[in-house]
Amino acid sequence: MMTRGATRMTRVVMGHMGPRYFSTTVLRNDPGTGVVGGAAAGLLHGFPSNPSEKVAVTWVRHFSAMGSRSASTAALNEKQQEKESSDKKVENTATAAANGGAGKSVVSYWGVPPSKATKPDGTEWKWNCFRPWETYEADMSIDLTKHHAPVTFLDKFAYWTVKVLRFPTDVFFQRRYGCRAMMLETVAAVPGMVGGMLLHCKSLRRFEQSGGWIKALLEEAENERMHLMTFMEVAKPNVYERALVFAVQGVFFNAYFAAYLISPKLAHRIVGYLEEEAVHSYTEFLKELDNGNIENVPAPAIAIDYWRLPKDATLRDVVLVVRADEAHHRDVNHYASVRTHKADDLDLFGIDGCI
């Protein structure tokens, strides 16, 4: 009885699953064209209706991921295969031509090469990370000595948090200011991106304007990233410094993300004090350059184009403009900590959105 029940159950299951997963196909040879054609003959039927035909019975598995559930393909037309192969060759040739050669890759996400730009002297613009209209001259008249005295509890908490974080940095880098600047910029570029991202989501949730703060913070993050790209040309990081960047950035990103969710004012105040320490660090960097302890090498080409520096600019000129940028970020974040993100805040502060 059990054997009969099992046999009956197997037949029922195969009756339901067979048409979905398997079929038999009768392959016929057309003498006129020499092309093999096929016709499904059912699950358990693989015999031709005309015994004189030359046939072959084939079991074909159907893959639902391919979009076939109740039919199978016995063979592809040879002419179709040749046509598809030819189309692929044409497509590959067009792609290679658009890329300027087989060895070059498309630098645009959409597969469209960027438009070519030129410098004012007519030479070709070679940077893809920023364009000529994104360059600027740093404001060298900014007050470098400005300091926000901590008054409230949040101010004092932010101030001493930054002071505590500075201690291990001093111990690790000491007077290696090139590596110190590189590490500093990997951290300094995080707050602007985190703040801009969270304000972007807030603007979407509340259906309201951001008052220009999203753009301002994202441009601050981009500016800090350009600092890093510049100092990468000056100080080459070794293996353990790269590992340190991974660890510090991972911890700082999550900590700052949580702080910004809890209190944006506290988060901006921390960044304000962090930028004050950055101004101090670059001032010490300049002293080392002036004393001859660090070689005043020519400025990297990317720095000359980004800050519109003269062609004979040196590392000292780069440090000066970077320090001015950090002082500007200091003022923006201290102001953001005092004011809430309202629509007219940037206009009241005299910020035009270009950091």
Side-chain angles (χ1 to χ4, degrees):
M1 295 296 292
M2 294 180 61
T3 304
R4 292 182 180 178
T7 303
R8 188 177 303 152
M9 181 179 297
T10 302
R11 289 179 179 175
V12 172
V13 172
M14 290 299 295
H16 286 285
M17 296 180 59
R20 293 190 176 187
Y21 292 94
F22 298 95
S23 74
T24 55
T25 303
V26 180
L27 304 181
R28 299 181 179 85
N29 190 1
D30 189 347
T33 61
V35 178
V36 177
L43 174 63
L44 300 177
H45 305 281
F47 302 98
S49 58
N50 188 353
S52 63
E53 294 179 345
K54 183 180 179 181
V55 300
V57 181
T58 305
W59 290 89
V60 182
R61 170 72 188 271
H62 294 294
F63 295 95
S64 59
M66 300 292 290
S68 175
R69 299 177 67 91
S70 60
S72 63
T73 303
L76 289 176
N77 191 308
E78 293 180 359
K79 293 183 179 180
Q80 291 179 349
Q81 289 180 341
E82 293 178 359
K83 183 178 180 181
E84 290 176 0
S85 177
S86 177
D87 292 342
K88 288 182 180 179
K89 290 181 180 179
V90 173
E91 182 181 356
N92 293 337
T93 303
T95 303
N99 294 342
K104 295 183 179 180
S105 59
V106 179
V107 296
S108 171
Y109 288 112
W110 309 110
V112 179
S115 58
K116 292 184 178 181
T118 57
K119 298 181 182 179
D121 58 2
T123 58
E124 184 179 357
W125 186 263
K126 62 179 181 179
W127 310 109
N128 290 324
C129 53
F130 66 100
R131 309 302 285 171
W133 50 87
E134 296 174 337
T135 63
Y136 67 99
E137 295 181 5
D139 181 14
M140 305 301 293
S141 63
I142 192 168
D143 185 6
L144 301 174
T145 61
K146 188 182 297 184
H147 168 67
H148 178 83
V151 178
T152 65
F153 170 77
L154 289 181
D155 291 351
K156 294 178 181 178
F157 180 82
Y159 177 80
W160 287 109
T161 297
V162 174
K163 286 297 184 181
V164 170
L165 294 176
R166 181 185 174 89
F167 177 75
T169 306
D170 293 338
V171 173
F172 184 82
F173 290 104
Q174 297 182 358
R175 293 190 175 275
R176 295 184 297 133
Y177 286 101
C179 296
R180 186 193 191 103
M182 182 185 60
M183 174 61 70
L184 176 65
E185 300 302 341
T186 62
V187 174
V190 171
M193 182 60 65
V194 173
M197 175 185 66
L198 291 177
L199 289 179
H200 172 76
C201 295
K202 178 182 178 181
S203 176
L204 297 179
R205 290 194 308 270
R206 297 190 176 184
F207 304 95
E208 64 183 12
Q209 300 290 336
S210 69
W213 278 105
I214 296 175
K215 182 179 179 181
L217 293 177
L218 292 181
E219 288 184 347
E220 176 184 316
E222 175 64 14
N223 181 250
E224 297 284 9
R225 192 183 68 87
M226 291 305 301
H227 293 176
L228 175 63
M229 297 298 102
T230 298
F231 285 109
M232 281 285 294
E233 302 294 327
V234 177
K236 302 296 183 181
N238 52 36
V239 176
Y240 67 86
E241 287 174 342
R242 289 178 180 270
L244 183 62
V245 169
F246 267 85
V248 172
Q249 189 183 82
V251 173
F252 184 76
F253 179 91
N254 289 283
Y256 189 79
F257 184 89
Y260 209 98
L261 289 176
I262 297 172
S263 174
K265 291 186 176 182
L266 172 63
H268 282 294
R269 185 68 75 198
I270 290 175
V271 177
Y273 286 127
L274 185 65
E275 299 294 355
E276 288 185 13
E277 295 296 333
V279 172
H280 174 74
S281 295
Y282 284 116
T283 301
E284 295 297 319
F285 197 168
L286 288 172
K287 291 180 180 179
E288 294 294 315
L289 286 168
D290 295 338
N291 293 334
N293 298 328
I294 299 177
E295 183 181 0
N296 190 21
V297 297
I302 190 172
I304 293 176
D305 289 339
Y306 184 68
W307 283 285
R308 303 177 186 173
L309 298 174
K311 294 183 178 180
D312 59 347
T314 61
L315 178 59
R316 189 179 190 279
D317 299 318
V318 174
V319 175
L320 284 172
V321 295
V322 171
R323 184 178 64 170
D325 287 346
E326 303 294 3
H328 185 67
H329 300 162
R330 171 204 63 195
D331 294 344
V332 170
N333 282 276
H334 278 315
Y335 175 77
S337 181
V338 175
R339 301 280 300 198
T340 56
H341 301 300
K342 294 181 179 179
D344 298 329
D345 279 353
L346 293 182
D347 295 336
L348 291 175
F349 192 52
I351 301 175
D352 58 2
C354 297
I355 294 180

